[in-house]
Amino acid sequence: MDFSLFFFADSRTSGDDRYRLLLESARFADANGFTAVWTPERHFHSFGGLYPNAAVTGAALAAITERIGIRAGSVVAPLHHPARIAEEWSVVDNLSGGRVGVSFASGWHAVDFVLRPEGYEDRKKVMVEAVETVRRLWRGEPVAFVDGTGEERTVRTQPAPVQPELPVWITSAGSPDTFRLAGRLGGGVLTHLLGQDVEALARNIRAYREELAATHGEQAPGHVALMLHTLIGEDRARVRELVREPFSAYLRSSIDLVVGTAGLPVGFDPSRLPERDREFLVARSFDRYFSTSGLFGTVADGAEMVHRLAAIGIDEIACLIDFGVPQEEVLRSLRHLDQLRRHPAAGERPAGVPA
């Protein structure tokens, strides 16, 4: 099992400390054998507001690390011209010596599309087209676009990247169709457990690998990275208290996903719920996520979760560590997370699970 760090993030941190956790954690991960650091594209929201452009944060990480992968989790493709995506990430690939990867997302928040309103209606189709176009540009192929005068121009983007092929993932909140799409595209999947439980995720992974094999052959490796809220410490009860309020705040900010996993009708508007009912849902969701859908507790607790995830075919755990727990606590917890990464359970893949 690979371990990486994922940032989303709680942007309430102020002043000079805003990016301290990102930079110090990345240095730790780079020095201790973690696989990658993921930073997102997030607009107009307090959770994630520190990260409007993953290429910018990726460039900063490239300058302070030597080995670790630098990944976008995710680029919202319909908000950007594909040539711009190829250009920016090729720069980061050069700065890092060939360590970048990009997960593409179609986007879901309509307000994000104030940046590019025309991309919203057919955003899933636009994303698929962008993935293929960026791949072609990355390989150095000429691609035709319409210029400012309405003429079609064929261009090659610069600079040339270090990697001959761009490592690609598709971001999914749990839709089986998106998992199958990732398989057809021959990319990996970046997903989470806010919109699906482990059993549903297992079904989605099977669908992904079936589609991948059918389209690209049985030897196509595939890759499933799972984002999990993470805090590992010495005492489970103390970890629970440390994460309770910040993780509950995160759930409140994602109340639409909480409602979606609470058995309420599809399309139900969470704003119709009285505040006490919303708080009840958040409290119930916290209990469930803490026990079954996060990487919380001691190293032993984490090892049980890792083994469970390996059994359904997860290749990498992307540990979301910056959801509001005080920075000093998170930084101290990294040594325990590294112990979990080195735990025998993290290196095992049960029989019959694809490598």
Side-chain angles (χ1 to χ4, degrees):
M1 182 77 71
D2 290 335
F3 280 70
S4 56
L5 300 183
F6 195 102
F7 292 81
F8 194 65
D10 180 3
S11 62
R12 291 173 294 182
T13 305
S14 61
D16 295 339
D17 285 341
R18 282 182 172 171
Y19 295 97
R20 178 188 169 213
L21 183 59
L22 170 68
L23 300 177
E24 291 195 19
S25 298
R27 290 187 181 99
F28 178 92
D30 190 53
N32 287 279
F34 284 68
T35 299
V37 178
W38 303 78
T39 56
E41 176 181 351
R42 186 80 158 123
H43 303 285
F44 317 127
H45 199 287
S46 60
F47 275 92
L50 292 178
Y51 296 97
N53 188 323
V56 174
T57 48
L61 295 175
I64 64 166
T65 60
E66 297 179 356
R67 293 172 291 277
I68 200 162
I70 297 170
R71 300 181 188 159
S74 310
V75 169
V76 183
L79 299 182
H80 308 280
H81 194 288
R84 191 62 170 160
I85 297 172
E87 287 177 338
E88 290 181 347
W89 283 96
S90 183
V91 170
V92 183
D93 204 47
N94 278 273
L95 289 170
S96 66
R99 291 186 277 137
V100 308
V102 174
S103 190
F104 289 84
S106 60
W108 62 96
H109 292 296
V111 69
D112 290 356
F113 285 80
V114 301
L115 299 173
R116 201 169 183 235
E118 66 273 19
Y120 183 72
E121 186 173 357
D122 294 321
R123 56 195 180 277
K124 181 64 72 69
K125 178 183 176 184
V126 171
M127 179 194 72
V128 173
E129 292 172 349
V131 170
E132 296 300 346
T133 301
V134 171
R135 281 171 154 171
R136 291 179 60 198
L137 291 166
W138 194 271
R139 297 180 191 121
E141 298 177 17
V143 177
F145 299 105
V146 176
D147 73 6
T149 66
E151 296 293 323
E152 191 172 88
R153 303 288 185 177
T154 300
V155 299
R156 288 184 172 90
T157 53
Q158 299 291 334
V162 174
Q163 298 177 97
E165 293 284 342
L166 174 65
V168 165
W169 288 258
I170 303 299
T171 301
S172 175
S175 165
D177 289 342
T178 306
F179 275 78
R180 286 190 285 267
L181 170 64
R184 288 195 297 276
L185 291 173
V189 176
L190 174 63
T191 190
H192 55 70
L193 289 175
L194 285 177
Q196 59 190 329
D197 58 21
V198 172
E199 289 72 25
L201 176 57
R203 293 192 296 271
N204 283 334
I205 291 173
R206 287 195 296 272
Y208 161 67
R209 295 198 183 277
E210 288 168 2
E211 196 74 38
L212 182 70
T215 309
H216 299 278
E218 294 289 342
Q219 301 306 311
H223 188 273
V224 181
L226 177 65
M227 184 274 285
L228 286 180
H229 288 76
T230 299
L231 189 72
I232 300 296
E234 295 180 347
D235 181 80
R236 178 182 173 86
R238 184 169 187 273
V239 168
R240 185 183 182 90
E241 289 311 304
L242 282 170
V243 304
R244 179 187 296 278
E245 181 47 41
F247 189 62
S248 295
Y250 180 87
L251 291 172
R252 290 185 196 99
S253 77
S254 306
I255 191 67
D256 53 335
L257 293 174
V258 171
V259 167
T261 59
L264 295 172
V266 174
F268 182 84
D269 181 0
S271 67
R272 292 167 52 191
L273 287 170
E275 183 177 354
R276 70 175 183 276
D277 291 341
R278 290 199 298 271
E279 286 302 303
F280 173 78
L281 281 177
V282 167
R284 190 173 73 171
S285 295
F286 171 79
D287 290 336
R288 179 167 65 86
Y289 282 119
F290 185 86
S291 300
T292 68
S293 303
L295 203 60
F296 295 135
T298 64
V299 171
D301 294 323
E304 290 184 13
M305 185 64 170
V306 170
H307 189 72
R308 183 184 183 198
L309 295 174
I312 65 168
I314 296 297
D315 300 290
E316 175 180 330
I317 297 177
C319 302
L320 176 59
I321 62 173
D322 66 334
F323 55 96
V325 175
Q327 291 194 30
E328 292 299 334
E329 297 285 357
V330 176
L331 290 170
R332 280 194 291 269
S333 78
L334 291 177
R335 62 186 179 90
H336 300 294
L337 182 58
D338 188 44
Q339 291 170 8
L340 174 59
R341 186 187 67 81
R342 300 170 188 272
H343 193 281
E348 296 174 356
R349 183 173 291 275
V353 176

